[in-house]
Amino acid sequence: MHTTRLIIVAVGGQGNLLTSRVLGEAALLAGVPVRMSEIHGMAQRGGVVESAIVFGDALSTVISDGEADVLVGFEPVETLRALKKCHAGTTVITNLAPLPPFTVALGKGSYPAVERIQDLVAAKTARLIAFDATQLARQAGNRMALNMVLLGALLRTGRVPVPQAAVEETIRSSTKSAFVETNLKAFALGYAHVSA
Amino acid sequence: MHRLLIDQPGAKRLLLGNEAIARGAVEAGVAVAATYPGTPSSEIALNLFQISRETDRYFEYSTNEKVALEVTAAAANAGLRSLCLMKHVGLNVAADALMTLAYVGTRGGLVILTADDPAMFSSQNEQDNRYYAKLAGLPMLEPSSVAEALAMVPAAFDLSEKLHAPVLLRTTTRVNHSTAVVELGPIRTPVTAGYFKKDPFSFVTVPAVSRQLHVRLLERLEEAGRLAEASPFNFEAGDGRLGVVCNGVSYGYVHDALEDLQAGGRVRLLRLGFTHPLPEERIRRFLAACDKVLVVEEGEPFMEEAIRAIAQAAALTLPIRGKGAGLFSRLYEYDPAMVRRVMAAYFALPQRPAPALDLSDVPALPQRPPTLCAGCSHRATFYAVKKATEGLDVIHPSDIGCYTLGFLPPLSMGDFVICMGASIGSACGFSRASRQKVVAFIGDSTFFHSGMPGLVNAVFNNHNLTLVILDNRTTAMTGHQPNPGVDMAELQLEGFNRVDIEGVVKALGVAHVSVIRPYNVKKSIAALREAIAFPGVSVVISREKCTLYARGLRQLHGRAFTVTDKCRNHRECVDALACPAFYLEGDRVRIDADICVGCALCAQVCPEHAIQPLRQE
Ligand code: SF4
């Protein structure tokens, strides 16, 4: 099977590990070979969390620079920071709601304009899908459902070989029961936000 | 029922590497497990701890890795399958026990898992623990994948019982923290009641006994070598006269590179999973079939040097390379593209790398380093120490934990960190060698782990230092595991005692002991000043629960704070505390109410009293 490489970047606490977990379980359900790796040692201390998900027959669970086919960013600066993982054919999905690191408040470094981030990413990759996913998560009923909004958008691009039904099934069966409705709603909002 | 206890052989599950290892322990019928928590091994213990609560399998968080190894060594010698878990540097702590345990051997199965951390995602060094197998003379297995990690646990126990030797299972972060689909195997019912049959001439290592035991150790190693020759964990693939030898996660990278380079027909592969003792005969045959060999292994040239020695003994003169300029590094971790590049260059295979993106116009981005949580009690303690030592020239030896992050500006509390417990020993040395003041930091868990001998030393040798024990009532850094100072009843866990740090410190003979509540800034500064002025050893226990832990226990009731109009923009709060709840709106300081936990530290720091609790709407 053709290999598809997906990188997800987020700030600790944004809930991206659930996105990869759901994708992985859905792939298992659909019989799609999947492997992933995460660097989350310092996630709870506000650092960057990166997950690599590889669909297909490759054995590596690590994705080298320049080799991600899809990049999902939960925060605009982190999307830009992860651009080195992309190639000219990469599809990028990014949340536009910034979470400036505390170093900015300390006067060490400045946060670039979100429009500039979009221009840079769009100019270098095949497709950029950028929107305020946090806003859509709130609309779904919980800002923590950001992970499901972005998952919906990702599925709609058709760039990952996992069927939508398997993802929805997994959201139903393996996210906390109190949040299933919100999660499905957030997923649907993200999905509807992107044109195929 | 715990998800790893499901008895459905053949069922497929998506598991984290560490969950797969815990499942392997269940399948192997492990009866006793012990650990001191450390990333990247921590989740194994977390699962075994949960499992121990609902079965008769025993698990404990031991005070340190040496104790954990002693506990499991005894259990194994009473006949029970026992598993000892630790991160790589933990094996340094356990090394004293390990070296002679290798002589003594075991009666029941004993597996020691060491989780190495190439690239140091959360460690102070990236030492290659494969050398411990060689140093101690123990068999070692190394998985390449999550599924293999599961399979190797029962296999390691079989091996241990066959050889009567402890077996090292060496993983790396990318196995521990990868997730993949595994097939569950059958669960062996654990034997949980053991009996220790006395045999002092095998177990009491006086010189006369040890001289015999060393002979037996070498015999066991020879037998292990024969088993390595036949082990299915050492296998070959492909053919051709170009050879690659690899281990661990490098195998995946080599496998994918061979696909990408379409070099399967030209390259012969030897994957080693039973890596000590190495299967010398098998390697000799492999070398004889090759014109040129590349060794792909993260870390030190452990296999490379051994393979060169095997070639020399067999008078084979083919080039064998691994580490070196233009080849692989001894630094950090590898990745698929790096391995592909080196393989293509070394074997002169054609490759078409996609052009890299030109990122030269991407501006410098603000850094996002890990930092102490909003409301972390350590921040408050560090601030108080800073105020209490203003104007003094002070050295701050520190230790391993969340609080190590306090070394970053603006707190700048941390000048010397090497290993668990070293804050106190090094404080003793600094206080003798220099006229500078010494105020050291250690966490509660680290104090129990290996801080106490240092403190006894300080008292006995009458050093002049202040030790601040950051007692946040948990082992925070690795995910809030218990330690001897933790109130287990609060966690609804019965059958534990609690060791009181204040009582311990006093009993060790420290003459000046005080306890502070760090969110009370003024009182804390006063108590610290007094302790620092005391000639001799003084201890200040800064007692406040880790904020993240308190949240988990639903004990966080503080209201978020806000910056009112009284603010005159000194930015004392942001500049002195660097709490991640602060952000700037234009040039005004704001507090993110979603992040603030209401610890009120900044409110006490602000000279204008401009920071106040947010009114509830
Ligand atoms: S986990 Fe606890 S100890 Fe660690 S930084 Fe957060 S609040 Fe502080």
Side-chain angles (χ1 to χ4, degrees):
Chain A
M1 185 184 167
H2 175 71
T3 303
T4 303
R5 297 182 171 87
L6 162 67
I7 294 267
I8 302 179
V9 288
V11 176
Q14 280 191 306
N16 66 313
L17 297 185
L18 187 64
T19 308
S20 25
R21 193 90 202 178
V22 168
L23 263 178
E25 293 284 1
L28 169 60
L29 196 66
V32 176
V34 64
R35 289 185 165 73
M36 6 199 245
S37 74
E38 282 148 10
I39 289 304
H40 52 77
M42 294 280 193
Q44 292 189 313
R45 315 297 175 271
V48 183
V49 193
E50 182 187 293
S51 319
I53 306 171
V54 182
F55 302 96
D57 295 328
L59 294 188
S60 308
T61 61
V62 171
I63 299 175
S64 301
D65 287 356
E67 303 203 335
D69 303 306
V70 192
L71 167 67
V72 176
F74 280 50
E75 201 280 342
V77 147
E78 295 317 323
T79 304
L80 185 54
R81 210 191 301 277
L83 197 56
K84 62 176 186 307
K85 290 284 177 193
C86 301
H87 53 76
T90 304
T91 297
V92 180
I93 300 164
T94 187
N95 181 14
L96 286 181
L99 279 180
F102 72 97
T103 48
V104 173
L106 278 175
K108 285 191 237 140
S110 60
Y111 197 97
V114 171
E115 297 71 39
R116 173 119 171 84
I117 296 177
Q118 290 188 68
D119 291 346
L120 281 164
V121 177
K124 295 176 199 301
T125 56
R127 182 176 185 198
L128 170 66
I129 297 158
F131 60 104
D132 187 339
T134 307
Q135 182 50 41
L136 286 188
R138 282 208 190 88
Q139 201 178 314
N142 186 346
R143 79 188 162 90
M144 285 310 291
L146 169 66
N147 46 18
M148 295 296 127
V149 173
L150 290 166
L151 182 58
L154 169 65
L155 259 282
R156 179 62 165 161
T157 63
R159 290 297 309 268
V160 292
V162 183
Q164 181 191 352
V167 174
E168 287 169 344
E169 173 65 40
T170 307
I171 295 175
R172 263 184 222 106
S173 64
S174 67
T175 69
K176 284 201 188 107
S177 53
F179 296 126
V180 167
E181 282 316 308
T182 311
N183 282 342
L184 285 171
K185 196 167 165 199
F187 178 83
L189 284 173
Y191 193 91
H193 191 83
V194 176
S195 52
Chain B
M1 188 167 61
H2 194 280
R3 65 192 286 257
L4 297 181
L5 286 172
I6 287 166
D7 195 8
Q8 278 174 27
K12 293 198 166 149
R13 287 286 183 279
L14 187 74
L15 295 185
L16 182 70
N18 280 343
E19 293 172 320
I21 292 166
R23 170 69 190 191
V26 169
E27 291 183 10
V30 168
V32 174
T35 193
Y36 183 83
T39 313
S41 75
S42 306
E43 298 87 357
I44 311 171
L46 178 70
N47 282 287
L48 294 180
F49 185 36
Q50 292 162 348
I51 286 168
S52 74
R53 306 307 295 183
E54 42 182 286
T55 63
D56 60 350
R57 297 159 190 264
Y58 178 75
F59 170 83
E60 72 169 45
Y61 283 111
S62 306
T63 42
N64 66 34
E65 295 86 352
K66 179 172 180 286
V67 174
L69 182 53
E70 290 153 357
V71 167
T72 47
N77 274 308
L80 304 185
R81 283 199 160 189
S82 304
L83 176 63
C84 188
L85 309 160
M86 59 193 75
K87 70 181 291 172
H88 61 334
V89 287
L91 199 50
N92 301 334
V93 179
D96 200 6
L98 181 78
M99 296 304 297
T100 308
L101 179 63
Y103 279 37
V104 166
T106 65
R107 284 190 181 142
L110 174 61
V111 174
I112 302 162
L113 179 130
T114 159
D116 290 16
D117 190 18
M120 298 165 277
F121 291 104
S122 43
S123 303
Q124 64 267 39
N125 75 25
E126 55 177 348
Q127 69 184 47
D128 187 334
N129 271 13
R130 293 179 295 172
Y131 287 99
Y132 269 116
K134 204 168 171 155
L135 184 63
L138 294 179
M140 170 170 63
L141 302 181
E142 293 184 75
S144 289
S145 67
V146 172
E148 197 175 37
L150 193 163
M152 273 186 179
V153 179
F157 275 99
D158 291 344
L159 187 60
S160 170
E161 283 170 1
K162 196 168 213 167
L163 291 168
H164 299 289
V167 170
L168 282 180
L169 182 58
R170 185 243 187 192
T171 61
T172 57
T173 303
R174 289 293 183 176
V175 169
N176 299 93
H177 285 171
S178 284
T179 301
V181 178
V182 302
E183 199 176 303
L184 304 184
I187 295 177
R188 172 180 158 136
T189 311
V191 176
T192 54
Y195 184 81
F196 179 63
K197 262 208 287 175
K198 294 187 186 192
D199 178 8
F201 289 94
S202 294
F203 288 123
V204 180
T205 53
V206 295
V209 172
S210 288
R211 282 184 203 113
Q212 294 313 310
L213 294 180
H214 197 184
V215 175
R216 274 192 245 162
L217 169 63
L218 296 187
E219 286 165 2
R220 280 201 296 269
L221 259 185
E222 227 166 90
E223 173 63 16
R226 280 191 286 275
L227 295 175
E229 297 289 353
S231 170
F233 293 130
N234 298 327
F235 60 82
E236 282 171 57
D239 51 358
R241 309 256 340 143
L242 305 174
V244 171
V245 184
C246 58
N247 73 325
V249 290
S250 301
Y251 167 64
Y253 309 154
V254 169
H255 171 276
D256 293 353
L258 288 176
E259 291 286 308
D260 293 345
L261 297 167
Q262 296 174 339
R266 301 185 55 198
V267 178
R268 169 188 301 267
L269 177 86
L270 175 59
R271 202 299 304 258
L272 296 175
F274 191 148
T275 48
H276 192 264
L278 283 167
E280 295 193 10
E281 182 48 41
R282 174 156 217 162
I283 290 171
R284 197 174 301 126
R285 283 200 310 270
F286 181 82
L287 295 178
C290 297
D291 294 332
K292 195 175 182 186
V293 162
L294 183 66
V295 183
V296 191
E297 57 183 328
E298 289 177 338
E300 303 298 325
F302 178 84
M303 299 192 304
E304 182 186 345
E305 287 173 355
I307 291 170
R308 285 229 189 91
I310 292 168
Q312 196 275 341
L316 294 165
T317 56
L318 74 167
I320 299 168
R321 300 294 305 277
K323 311 281 172 184
L327 297 164
F328 291 110
S329 172
R330 290 165 59 181
L331 298 170
Y332 317 139
E333 66 166 0
Y334 295 176
D335 66 75
M338 172 205 284
V339 170
R340 186 172 60 228
R341 209 162 43 235
V342 174
M343 281 173 57
Y346 184 71
F347 293 131
L349 298 168
Q351 68 158 342
R352 298 160 275 108
L357 294 183
D358 174 9
L359 300 177
S360 55
D361 55 344
V362 172
L365 300 178
Q367 293 302 305
R368 198 185 296 273
T371 181
L372 298 173
C373 299
C376 174
S377 51
H378 300 327
R379 183 179 289 104
T381 309
F382 287 143
Y383 178 77
V385 172
K386 198 157 195 150
K387 285 288 161 191
T389 54
E390 245 165 3
L392 301 175
D393 185 359
V394 189
I395 309 173
H396 295 293
S398 191
D399 226 298
I400 311 278
C402 286
Y403 53 94
T404 318
L405 293 172
F407 87 103
L408 289 170
L411 296 165
S412 306
M413 286 286 147
D415 297 314
F416 192 76
V417 173
I418 47 176
C419 66
M420 293 286 287
S423 56
I424 313 182
S426 59
C428 295
F430 283 128
S431 74
R432 280 295 156 182
S434 158
R435 302 181 75 91
Q436 290 155 289
K437 272 267 162 214
V438 179
V439 179
F441 300 106
I442 194 166
D444 47 346
S445 194
T446 309
F447 177 71
F448 288 117
H449 176 282
S450 48
M452 286 163 52
L455 189 55
V456 174
N457 181 70
V459 171
F460 173 64
N461 288 306
N462 197 22
H463 290 294
N464 183 21
L465 57 90
T466 299
L467 175 68
V468 180
I469 301 180
L470 301 156
D471 179 12
N472 67 355
R473 299 293 160 115
T474 185
T475 312
M477 179 76 171
T478 47
H480 304 101
Q481 291 85 354
N483 69 54
V486 168
D487 181 359
M488 297 296 273
E490 235 177 22
L491 297 165
Q492 274 85 50
L493 294 170
E494 285 163 15
F496 295 89
N497 294 308
R498 181 170 175 186
V499 182
D500 170 46
I501 294 184
E502 191 181 346
V504 169
V505 169
K506 285 183 175 156
L508 293 184
V510 177
H512 192 289
V513 182
S514 46
V515 177
I516 61 172
R517 304 304 303 248
Y519 293 146
N520 189 331
V521 177
K522 261 207 196 114
K523 274 196 188 163
S524 298
I525 295 174
L528 281 158
R529 282 213 179 103
E530 210 182 285
I532 292 163
F534 180 82
V537 181
S538 57
V539 168
V540 178
I541 300 168
S542 178
R543 188 178 291 159
E544 189 64 59
K545 216 171 252 161
C546 156
T547 294
L548 212 57
Y549 182 57
R551 170 174 293 152
L553 292 171
R554 305 195 178 280
Q555 292 177 352
L556 264 197
H557 305 301
R559 256 198 286 160
F561 278 61
T562 186
V563 183
T564 64
D565 310 342
K566 287 206 270 174
C567 166
R568 298 191 32 209
N569 222 357
H570 312 280
R571 306 236 182 127
E572 171 78 9
C573 51
V574 182
D575 292 344
L577 303 175
C579 174
F582 290 120
Y583 66 98
L584 294 183
E585 197 175 75
D587 70 337
R588 306 299 296 186
V589 176
R590 294 279 175 258
I591 293 174
D592 185 335
D594 285 336
I595 300 180
C596 176
V597 302
C599 74
L601 173 63
C602 57
Q604 297 170 70
V605 167
C606 173
E608 306 295 334
H609 304 291
I611 303 179
Q612 289 173 6
L614 195 62
R615 275 213 211 96
Q616 245 122 8
E617 253 106 84

